[in-house]
Amino acid sequence: MILLTLFVMAQQPAAQRRAIVYTTAESTTFRLTATDTLTFTPSEPTSEGKIYVFVDPRKTFQPFIGIGGALTDAAAETFAKLPAARQDELLTAYYSTDRGIGYTLGRTNIHSCDFSSESYTYVDEGDKDLKSFSIAHDLRYRIPLIRRAMAASGNKLKLFASPWSPPAFMKDNNDMLHGGHLRPEYARAWARYFAKFVESYRKEGVPVWGITIQNEPMATQTWESCVFQASDERDFLKNHLGPVMAQEGLLGKVHIIVWDHNRDLIIQRALAIFEDSAAAKYAWGIGFHWYEDWSGGQQMYGNVALVSRLYPGKHILFTEGTPATFDSTGYGRWSLGEAYGRSMINDFNSGTEGWTDWNILLDEHGGPNHVGNFCFAPIHADTRTGTLIYTNSYYYIGHFSKFIRPGARRILASPSRSMLLTTAFVNRDGKVVVVVMNPTAKGGPYNLTVGAVSVEINARPHSIQTVVF
């Protein structure tokens, strides 16, 4: 259908093809604003003195699953403090396709994480048989928020869940915090814990689309954390989690995602798991975060591209990113949004199929968070006044999520100057979506060229634009 639509489009005279340009730009009031409607004209001879973005819808790459954010305890507790009108506003802002930015992915935590008000599990301490298993804690805030988000999305929201740590008694440090390792004798019980979580959420009307094995498995944190070396995760998957999910009839219905940590070590993790056929058969794909620059280096997009080339049969999903430590004076900081734009463009161009932000909502302190690990979200709530504060991150994400819809395919898009970053997709209805970001202080025109036709667009300084035609 996409190819047929593109063929029909190609037969249209250039004058009948119009491009709508949506812009978000620093030092302007433009926020996902339709700033131009332009008409394609026959392309002039290419000039080295001009700037181009070349697009070819005939060259297609990976499919697109969706974009979304995490529905954590912190988000849910903050949401519950808002007046009803602001709750409705937030759900519309994220999950409506016409009045919002059309989120279709969500992540949540399996029992507590740092963005919970306290540490907790779903079982009594020492209950290796899981007889006390209960998700009653989540019924107060988190599950009601997830249900409403799913309804607001038209029940199109794909939810995946991640654990930050097994219960303390299952670990060799007897602590949910500060790293530690899963004790081998509890591996089967921990695998059954995943299945019970999925089944319990489904009974509450919340289908779980996927699970990751361990959030950030190479990090020892002051909050909930657990270290899985590559061989540990591989063996847990093939000997315990995979077989348990199959035994419970969940394999295939619930996608198992490995790694769920930074791009820096993603190659080793992919090699360890995907090269082992007994483990690989249970793995739907691999997830990653963007925090590898903690060491002072740059983000390593090329590692994701290498995984995509090595394992084209496995899916790649961005599972978490947040741009900075919280600062209440920094809501207007333009670098927040640019961090998203830069990562999303590079990650999609590296083969990523879906992209999930961290918390959808936090309070005026960047929490709640039981270890003081406060951060930014695209939208904050001031719970003292009941108001919502939109950072430019919300609009930068929206330049992708609002226009690129599930089922789209990435197509060729390439800039002729390094000042511009770009990616492009074609939706199922044949609409082409080109995202162009200018992270520099210098503006100017560029020619968006599609075959024999082109249109000239002005790139404002520190801006992101989505062109739809």
Side-chain angles (χ1 to χ4, degrees), residues 284-324:
W284 172 83
I286 193 164
F288 68 97
H289 301 181
W290 72 9
Y291 308 115
E292 66 270 15
D293 59 358
W294 66 269
S295 62
Q298 299 296 313
Q299 292 179 315
M300 304 181 73
Y301 308 113
N303 284 351
V304 177
L306 183 55
V307 171
S308 179
R309 291 198 298 272
L310 288 172
Y311 304 103
K314 296 299 183 184
H315 304 273
I316 302 178
L317 185 68
F318 183 91
T319 49
E320 183 189 316
T322 190

Side-chain angles (χ1 to χ4, degrees), residues 120-366:
Y120 66 92
T121 72
Y122 301 134
V123 295
D124 295 338
E125 184 67 13
D127 178 14
K128 64 179 182 357
D129 297 321
L130 313 184
K131 292 179 180 179
S132 59
F133 191 96
S134 170
I135 58 167
H137 176 281
D138 299 359
L139 289 170
R140 186 177 182 188
Y141 297 119
R142 184 145 51 103
I143 286 177
L145 172 59
I146 295 171
R147 285 180 184 144
R148 291 187 64 182
M150 286 183 163
S153 74
N155 293 315
K156 296 177 181 177
L157 189 69
K158 289 181 170 67
L159 181 74
F160 66 97
S162 306
W164 267 243
S165 172
F169 71 88
M170 294 188 183
K171 297 172 63 183
D172 61 5
N173 66 343
N174 298 305
D175 185 0
M176 288 183 69
L177 318 183
H178 309 109
H181 303 80
L182 177 67
R183 294 180 186 270
E185 61 268 29
Y186 288 110
R188 195 73 174 182
W190 183 225
R192 290 180 54 236
Y193 199 103
F194 282 83
K196 281 186 171 290
F197 171 85
V198 171
E199 291 161 352
S200 298
Y201 261 55
R202 285 189 172 181
K203 286 178 182 176
E204 296 298 335
V206 179
V208 176
W209 171 81
I211 54 174
T212 75
I213 295 175
Q214 170 63 45
N215 175 72
E216 299 186 347
M218 289 302 292
T220 297
Q221 305 284 22
T222 58
W223 54 88
E224 288 84 343
S225 48
C226 185
V227 175
F228 279 75
Q229 291 288 338
S231 59
D232 298 331
E233 186 175 14
R234 177 199 65 205
D235 293 347
F236 176 69
L237 173 61
K238 73 177 177 181
N239 296 328
H240 302 286
L241 183 60
V244 165
M245 296 297 282
Q247 180 182 337
E248 297 297 323
L250 298 174
L251 194 65
K253 300 176 184 176
V254 179
H255 303 302
I256 300 176
I257 300 161
V258 304
W259 187 223
D260 198 12
H261 205 168
N262 298 328
R263 303 181 188 96
D264 51 2
L265 299 176
I266 193 172
I267 295 296
Q268 185 216 15
R269 195 63 49 132
L271 289 169
I273 296 173
F274 296 157
E275 292 293 328
D276 186 313
S277 60
K281 69 180 181 181
Y282 295 119
W284 172 83
I286 193 164
F288 68 97
H289 301 181
W290 72 9
Y291 308 115
E292 66 270 15
D293 59 358
W294 66 269
S295 62
Q298 299 296 313
Q299 292 179 315
M300 304 181 73
Y301 308 113
N303 284 351
V304 177
L306 183 55
V307 171
S308 179
R309 291 198 298 272
L310 288 172
Y311 304 103
K314 296 299 183 184
H315 304 273
I316 302 178
L317 185 68
F318 183 91
T319 49
E320 183 189 316
T322 190
T325 301
F326 182 73
D327 173 4
S328 61
T329 67
Y331 288 129
R333 193 182 303 161
W334 206 254
S335 61
L336 298 177
E338 289 188 338
Y340 283 96
R342 184 177 289 104
S343 180
M344 294 175 82
I345 288 172
N346 281 285
D347 289 335
F348 286 130
N349 288 346
S350 298
T352 300
E353 297 177 25
W355 211 95
T356 320
D357 183 32
W358 192 206
N359 303 277
I360 64 165
L361 177 69
L362 293 172
D363 66 16
E364 65 273 15
H365 304 294

Side-chain angles (χ1 to χ4, degrees), residues 362-381:
L362 293 172
D363 66 16
E364 65 273 15
H365 304 294
N369 183 295
H370 71 89
V371 291
N373 182 34
F374 303 121
C375 70
F376 278 103
I379 302 177
H380 283 261

